[in-house]
Amino acid sequence: MHIEHIAIWTTDLEQLKSFYQTWFEGQAGPKYTNPVRQYQSYFISFAGGARLELMQMPPSAQPEPA
């Protein structure tokens, strides 16, 4: 089995990106921003080929739980 990427929601996108770059030598891609949905994300790539998607959306823009 090969996991291509895992996604994590965060309240501090820049701090979490810095954490994975510093401690796990991850390489961050460009920030993706969707101004309509107020959504932002980074993909962090690692030497073994795995990627981590860090995602952030302000509480006011999050959908209500089902």
Side-chain angles (χ1 to χ4, degrees), residues 35-47:
V36 174
R37 296 191 65 207
Q38 300 178 357
Y39 169 85
Q40 298 178 323
S41 72
Y42 283 108
F43 273 97
I44 310 293
S45 299
F46 299 94

Side-chain angles (χ1 to χ4, degrees), residues 1-45:
M1 174 173 58
H2 173 76
I3 297 175
E4 199 278 328
H5 87 272
I6 293 176
I8 297 175
W9 286 102
T10 181
T11 57
D12 193 332
L13 188 61
E14 299 301 326
Q15 182 178 355
L16 197 55
K17 177 187 81 154
S18 179
F19 173 81
Y20 282 103
Q21 288 179 310
T22 301
W23 296 103
F24 294 95
E25 299 181 357
Q27 300 296 312
K31 181 191 274 187
Y32 169 78
T33 301
N34 181 324
V36 174
R37 296 191 65 207
Q38 300 178 357
Y39 169 85
Q40 298 178 323
S41 72
Y42 283 108
F43 273 97
I44 310 293
S45 299

